[in-house]
């Protein structure tokens, strides 16, 4: 699979997880489990995506700005995850932070898929798209055991 297919598959997982998190109510084992799964998925994905997608894109003038912007958004998402983590699950603040995280996450994923993937597709060679996809997936599989 290409890097685009690999990333899109994980983006779909993230969309499903954030939706499931928002469907939970109050402090519960389910809310905790789903949020912890989302938190790990986002952290692992950001690390592997930056390494196997954004670092290569920073080498090209036409994709450097979008790559830097997306990496900056990863840091914003980290801060939102921290805000959710530090809130009491029973509080209205927790849900407000989780909704803000969902909004920013969905915006980020859409922007990547519609804008970044388009310009990246023009600068990456076909064999590079495949090798980056393989490297990305390998790292994600390794991170499952961590």
């Amino acid at each position: 699979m290409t890097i685009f297919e690999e990333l899109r598959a994980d983006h779909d997982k993230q969309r499903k997880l954030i939706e499931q998190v928002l469907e939970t109510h109050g402090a519960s084992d389910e809310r905790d489990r789903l949020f912890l799964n989302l938190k790990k998925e986002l952290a692992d994905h950001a690390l592997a995506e930056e390494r196997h997608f954004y670092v290569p894109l920073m080498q090209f003038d036409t994709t450097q700005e979008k790559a830097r912007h997306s990496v900056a958004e990863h840091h914003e998402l980290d801060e939102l995850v921290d805000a959710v983590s530090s809130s009491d699950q029973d509080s209205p603040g927790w849900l407000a932070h989780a909704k803000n995280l969902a909004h920013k996450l969905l915006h980020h994923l859409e922007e990547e898929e519609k804008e970044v993937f388009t310009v990246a597709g023009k600068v990456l060679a076909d064999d590079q798209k495949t090798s980056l996809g393989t490297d990305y997936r390998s790292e994600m599989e390794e991170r499952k055991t961590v």
Side-chain angles (χ1 to χ4, degrees):
M1 289 179 36
T2 68
I3 187 66
F4 306 114
E5 293 164 326
E6 294 289 358
L7 294 175
R8 192 170 281 119
D10 283 353
H11 290 176
D12 289 344
K13 272 191 237 175
Q14 293 168 21
R15 286 182 181 100
K16 184 174 177 107
L17 278 170
I18 193 65
E19 179 182 314
Q20 291 173 326
V21 165
L22 293 177
E23 290 173 355
T24 63
H25 302 284
S28 68
D29 289 342
E30 180 186 23
R31 177 176 271 186
D32 192 48
R33 178 184 58 79
L34 288 169
F35 180 70
L36 290 175
N37 286 345
L38 175 65
K39 183 177 177 178
K40 180 164 177 30
E41 175 67 26
L42 291 176
D44 291 350
H45 173 79
L47 186 80
E49 183 178 54
E50 288 173 17
R51 185 173 289 151
H52 302 291
F53 186 57
Y54 287 118
V55 167
L57 291 182
M58 286 184 194
Q59 298 173 26
F60 301 97
D61 290 341
T62 56
T63 53
Q64 189 176 78
E65 184 178 330
K66 288 207 179 286
R68 287 183 175 165
H69 173 76
S70 293
V71 170
E73 284 188 345
H74 285 172
H75 295 292
E76 290 175 26
L77 290 169
D78 289 343
E79 290 173 2
L80 293 169
V81 165
D82 289 345
V84 176
S85 294
S86 64
S87 297
D88 181 9
Q89 284 188 358
D90 275 336
S91 75
W94 189 94
L95 188 57
H97 288 305
K99 286 181 178 179
N100 191 23
L101 172 62
H103 174 75
K104 295 285 187 181
L105 174 61
L106 295 175
H107 160 81
H108 174 73
L109 299 178
E110 183 175 338
E111 188 174 72
E112 275 187 351
E113 291 173 359
K114 291 188 175 177
E115 296 177 24
V116 181
F117 285 12
T118 302
V119 295
K122 295 175 183 174
V123 299
L124 297 173
D126 288 344
D127 62 332
Q128 193 176 17
K129 293 172 190 173
T130 302
S131 67
L132 290 171
T134 301
D135 294 345
Y136 169 83
R137 182 55 50 207
S138 293
E139 180 159 347
M140 289 298 286
E141 290 301 320
E142 285 176 28
R143 297 193 79 50
K144 282 183 183 178
T145 61
V146 177

